[in-house]
Amino acid sequence: MNDYRNTEKMIELSERILKIDAEARPRFRSQGTREATMTGPANDGKIPFLTAFEELPDAPYVVCLAQGIVNSWLMSDPIVYDEDILVGTQRPNRVMEEHFSWGIRYFDPKGFDNPAYKGRGDELRARVEAQRSRMFPLTHKHLEDAYDEIYTKEQCSCIGSLFGAGGYQGHTVPDYFRLLRDGIGGTLERVHAYEVNTTDQKKLDLYRAMTILLEGFTAFALQYADAAEKKANESEGEARERFLAVAENCRFVSTNRPVTLYQAAQLVWFYSLWDWVDCVGRFDQYMYPFYEKAVREGDVFPAEDIIAAIFLKFSEHGVHNLPLGGVDPRTGEDATNDLSFLVLQIGRRFHSVHPRMVARIDEHTPPEFMDLIVKMWSEGMSDPTLASDPLIIEGLREYGVPLEDARSYTTLGCQEIEIPGKSNFGCEDGKFNLAKAFEYTLNDGCDRFNGIRMGLPTGHLADYKTVDELWDAYVRQVNHFVPAYLHLCDVGQQIRAANAAKLVKSIFTDDCIARGLHMDEGGAMYGYGVIETAGASAVADSFAAIDKLVYREKRISPETLEAAIAANFEGYEKERQLLLKQAPKYGNDDPLADEYMRRVLDAFWTEIGKYRSIRGGAFTGACSLLGAGVGYGRATWAMPDGRFKGEPLGNTIGPRTGADHCGVTAMLSSVMKLPLKLGIGGTTLNVLIPCDMTKTAEQRRKIASLMTVYMMGGGQMAQITTASLEDMLDAKEHPEKHGDLIVRVGGYSAPFIEIGADLQDELIKRYGEAE
Amino acid sequence: MGLVFNIQRFSVHDGSGIRTVVFLKGCPLDCLWCHNPEGKSLEPQLMFNPEQCIGCGECAVCPAGAHTVADGVHTFAREKCVRCGKCAAACPTGALKMAGQEMSAGEVMEQVLRDRPFYERSGGGMTLSGGDPCFQHAFSAELLRLAHENRIDTAMETSGFMSPEVLARLAADTDTFLWDFKLYDPELHKKYTGVPLEPILANLAALNEMGKAVILRCPLIPGVNAVPEHVLAAAALSHTYPCIREIHFLPYHRLGIPKEKRLGIAGRYDTEEKPDTASLLALCGEHAACPVQLK
């Protein structure tokens, strides 16, 4: 029937899909950043949210918000492109829109000066002011006050180099299985069934909000049906037939549960737009029955075209995660299917950054699947990322998730992990820089940049008689900050919950409807917190260096090391070289350094795991942001691992850039010793594979074996970059020639030429060492 | 005990699967173009890389006074060096390094065994290289035996220049030989490598008798053997000895030159000439009885 499993063959796209692609491509903005791909068409000067609050002066917040979301969609003109078989585009990027999707921090009243508002800036600001207490129940001031209660003004000025609280939170995955099973109409019935059985006003308010949204969804789909019909009336022949099919499809899914693949695809796409979706869940699983039926019985369009068309929509709109493969939740058997292969082949053919494909790997993943994945890397893609089923499922189990739910996990955001349709994960409640805490430990609890006392007065290096005493002091220092820090993370989330309730997702997240609570009030079944962790490898390498050179071999005295650190190694190059070159580093399968890395993560993740987030779940660790290592590095002083003040800290869970020099197997062996089960928030390892190691089928089998060992042996997630050093160096000189050079940076696939000089140099260095 | 100058994990170019290559010191040949010059001598050698030197003067620990630092500039009098390694141990930057470390077979195996899961998934194992493993044959035989005891696949990269007795001993626990074929002409062979070709070919015949798997490895050196006669001779060997499963051509590279400088070996073979490897490869492929690859 098809040969999508054949790695040697590139998929052939139909004429229709090639036309859709040609039409859509100019609309893809820069393929680089999420912001560039996620913002809709230009501002149209409309004010949907403000209007909702003004027109419903007595309604509660959730109802106004729901009406605002509906207004936002219905005020946008439905666009049907000439070649599309699936329809729906982003809403315009309006001022208040940003407020509601990103949280209050991003609401800038000056935005109303945009010409689209035609000089009504002052008037609109006054109208927002009049609604302010209703629209913004909590403001950022709330978080600032919480900081002020704990820290002095002086401390507040530099605590940002230790941690950030209240980060973005909103990447959750709805229950697509339920969406497709019930349709919009069935879901509305479900809401009503609960509505008629309660008298609790707060619950009634939420059900009213959900009803507004679901009816709004129907109206939104019908707008597209009308627009397509209009197009049909203006066209003839094949185009007319096609627009009529589109119109009928939109009309059908506006309320009915989908029966065909074409209907299912349109519903999934409408929902993804409606909800501003980050991850489309286990697409190859919930779509498979429809796909299989379409292949067997036929559909309005060929099954391949429908899948390719929705893939192009995902690309155009910057969908972030598309998980494929992995085990079946009920049986635990590998569930990789023909659709998993087809989607990979389509992704391979388009060679685009979005959607970012993630391959779940289990013990019985078909070898052809791994083959195809490595082939894609060898062709210069950094997708798909690999995720380890055994480790992630076991990790979720340890946090109390039942087996079937654990097996349903997906990745999302910057490769965090969650249970689709049941979670309100923190995604990124906050970030914590462990290297900064270690800086305090060596400096009597003070920040080296300004001398401000931040932590406990634990003394200086010379005060510790053994490395164990130093370790204890470091742990005390970190743990000292944890309760206050996690409290601040919760305050940040309270603000977001109050100002940007995830109402659309709540409809498709268990058990919001049954409980009558939206996700941020405790409606979701799982509410884990996620703390991004930076600087761990710098702390581990510093401990290894001190352990060996100061305490064991006594080649550097504590006093000299103290002076060298204080001077940022100026005048201490000999000592710096010793620390850098003569001490073991994490990432080389060295027992001493690896053990410190294990202890650093274990200590922090176990400590935060003792606390519960306001959403009810424990705080878990994560390590997936490369940017965090660069940013926090700038604010972190010289370290005993030989790192100068301001240099980047290691990226994600991997070793410090360039510190691993014993080969990839040694590096992976180091990482496999870590307690990644506790880092269930998501710990991605960046693996750089020289592209000359993926040229032949035999070499690619070796790379497949390499990564399978990591996936089955204690690794969690891995993203691969294969590129040559020459490519990168040349791309720095001649960016115009290297638009296709895609690299993997902390959860993002990005064109190399767009990642900025800092990260470019970081990657070049990483690669130079690898070669 | 053996003298090891490198253990390289995740090697994917020297035998099947993912392998760990153990580089042993000492080589019977003296090839002009040697890319591992630190592997030739059967003694530890001091390598000095001035680019990494910061002139700190720690190397003054030298009992023979071989290192002097004046005004931050380091001068190394190699003729005084007694190869004790004290300076390398003291050097913070790694500018001074010893090529060659005494290790027991158990210590080497401890390193090799670390990648067992990778060997098992990929069909890889341990490769002995050098230098030439036949030079420390007792140690090599011990390593090969230990690997087999641990059910790990073995390969050996060798010049083939050894006595039949040594060959028999090493072959007992070697699954695959990566067998060098450097020059087709006996006289040129003697001239460029310092040893005769005949014993190497006799050993190859013996391997063929034993039924061992052999991969013929031919470095292509511009101006020396990157000529049709040589690749045709390699092709002919594959007909004579069916034990030859593949022929690999290795293009010349200049990585050995900086290492020679660090060892104090001056001005040996250096060329930027690029032979037409594609044609040579094709020519060999036409005539060989087995697959031919460029590595």
Side-chain angles (χ1 to χ4, degrees), chain A residues 328-330 397 401-409 419 422:
Chain A
D328 180 274
R330 282 180 202 86
R397 296 280 287 138
V401 178
L403 184 59
E404 200 172 314
D405 281 356
R407 284 170 173 166
S408 325
Y409 81 90
I419 318 303
K422 291 183 178 175

Side-chain angles (χ1 to χ4, degrees), chain A residues 53-260:
Chain A
F53 279 86
E54 286 177 340
E55 289 179 354
L56 296 164
D58 302 317
Y61 178 77
V62 286
V63 169
C64 296
L65 184 57
Q67 189 59 53
I69 294 169
V70 170
N71 287 352
S72 164
W73 281 113
L74 298 187
M75 284 178 183
S76 312
D77 293 327
I79 303 170
V80 176
Y81 293 106
D82 287 342
E83 302 293 342
D84 269 358
I85 57 171
L86 294 173
V87 291
T89 53
Q90 302 263 349
R91 58 193 152 176
N93 175 25
R94 309 174 182 115
V95 174
M96 298 302 284
E97 216 94 14
E98 285 303 285
H99 157 60
F100 282 97
S101 53
W102 284 95
I104 190 160
R105 196 193 309 171
Y106 298 93
F107 170 55
D108 179 5
K110 285 200 211 92
F112 285 127
D113 291 332
N114 184 309
Y117 293 96
K118 302 194 172 108
R120 295 160 64 212
D122 290 339
E123 177 217 320
L124 291 169
R125 275 186 283 272
R127 284 167 62 186
V128 169
E129 220 32 62
Q131 298 293 333
R132 183 171 272 280
S133 63
R134 297 181 67 220
M135 296 180 81
F136 308 126
L138 284 179
T139 68
H140 200 252
K141 175 94 177 31
H142 189 60
L143 182 57
E144 284 162 23
D145 291 346
Y147 269 90
D148 287 341
E149 269 175 39
I150 301 170
Y151 300 112
T152 65
K153 228 177 186 53
E154 244 188 352
Q155 289 173 328
C156 282
S157 71
C158 51
I159 196 84
S161 51
L162 177 69
F163 61 65
Y168 180 65
Q169 184 243 333
H171 292 338
T172 72
V173 184
D175 188 343
Y176 280 99
F177 288 94
R178 177 146 68 76
L179 172 73
L180 293 171
R181 193 190 62 210
D182 295 352
I184 297 301
T187 308
L188 196 59
E189 279 168 29
R190 187 185 170 93
V191 172
H192 283 231
Y194 283 96
E195 197 176 15
V196 296
N197 281 311
T198 185
T199 50
D200 182 330
Q201 189 54 46
K202 216 169 155 276
K203 290 185 181 182
L204 287 170
D205 290 343
L206 181 67
Y207 294 137
R208 186 177 155 206
M210 287 178 168
T211 304
I212 290 171
L213 285 167
L214 289 163
E215 288 175 353
F217 185 99
T218 300
F220 162 71
L222 289 176
Q223 266 194 348
Y224 271 96
D226 292 344
E229 218 154 70
K230 189 159 168 272
K231 277 266 206 188
N233 291 335
E234 294 161 1
S235 324
E236 40 191 49
E238 187 273 335
R240 182 181 156 78
E241 294 306 311
R242 182 157 38 83
F243 288 129
L244 285 176
V246 169
E248 193 193 326
N249 209 35
C250 293
R251 224 173 275 290
F252 189 87
V253 301
S254 71
T255 53
N256 296 304
R257 98 190 154 74
V259 181
T260 67

Side-chain angles (χ1 to χ4, degrees), chain B residues 7 72 102 113 128 185 212 260:
Chain B
I7 296 179
E102 288 264 333
L113 287 172
L128 296 185
D185 179 85
K212 286 284 170 186
E260 287 184 340

Side-chain angles (χ1 to χ4, degrees), chain A residues 316-449:
Chain A
E316 184 181 348
H317 294 265
V319 165
H320 235 35
N321 280 264
L322 179 62
L324 299 164
V327 298
D328 180 274
R330 282 180 202 86
T331 63
E333 303 282 318
D334 175 69
T336 311
N337 58 38
D338 283 351
L339 186 54
S340 326
F341 278 91
L342 174 60
V343 173
L344 274 193
Q345 289 282 17
I346 289 170
R348 176 185 177 201
R349 170 65 177 74
F350 285 125
H351 200 96
S352 61
V353 171
H354 291 114
R356 288 174 14 202
M357 290 167 282
V358 176
R360 283 179 46 169
I361 305 299
D362 59 77
E363 194 56 66
H364 300 289
T365 296
E368 304 95 315
F369 201 57
M370 269 311 282
D371 255 11
L372 181 54
I373 290 166
V374 181
K375 179 78 177 170
M376 289 166 75
W377 297 336
S378 77
E379 288 166 351
M381 292 188 75
S382 55
D383 274 351
T385 290
L386 302 183
S388 162
D389 269 16
L391 184 114
I392 292 171
I393 292 166
E394 198 185 332
L396 287 165
R397 296 280 287 138
E398 289 201 1
Y399 279 100
V401 178
L403 184 59
E404 200 172 314
D405 281 356
R407 284 170 173 166
S408 325
Y409 81 90
T410 67
T411 63
L412 72 164
C414 309
Q415 255 122 63
E416 286 88 2
I417 293 164
E418 74 152 40
I419 318 303
K422 291 183 178 175
S423 313
N424 188 15
F425 268 39
C427 197
E428 191 201 303
D429 285 288
K431 300 180 235 185
F432 196 99
N433 177 6
L434 294 169
K436 193 71 185 179
F438 188 66
E439 176 189 318
Y440 301 159
T441 312
L442 294 183
N443 195 34
D444 199 30
C446 298
D447 189 313
R448 288 245 189 218
F449 285 80

Side-chain angles (χ1 to χ4, degrees), chain A residues 68 113 182 232 287 318 325 343 347 480 489 523 566 588 645 660 702 709 716:
Chain A
D113 291 332
D182 295 352
M287 287 300 255
V343 173
H480 164 72
C489 290
N588 297 294
K645 160 181 98 176
D660 52 316
K702 293 181 187 183
V709 170
Q716 194 196 73

Side-chain angles (χ1 to χ4, degrees), chain A residues 363 555 573-574 577-578 581-582 589 591 662-666 668-669 672 693 699 702-703 705-706 708-709 712, chain B residues 9-10 12-13 15-18 52 54 56 58 88-94 114-115 117-118 121-122 293 295:
Chain A
E363 194 56 66
R555 287 173 85 173
E573 184 57 17
K574 187 178 87 188
Q577 289 289 336
L578 270 173
K581 308 262 181 68
Q582 307 302 327
D589 202 10
C662 292
V664 185
T665 54
L668 296 179
S669 300
M672 288 191 282
M693 284 192 187
Q699 284 171 327
K702 293 181 187 183
I703 301 298
S705 310
L706 175 82
T708 305
V709 170
M712 295 302 120
Chain B
R9 294 167 71 171
F10 190 58
V12 291
H13 299 297
S16 68
I18 294 169
Q52 289 183 347
I54 56 169
C56 68
E58 291 288 302
C91 176
T93 69
R114 287 181 173 204
D115 276 350
F118 296 97
R121 280 268 175 197
S122 68
Q293 282 183 32
K295 279 285 169 174

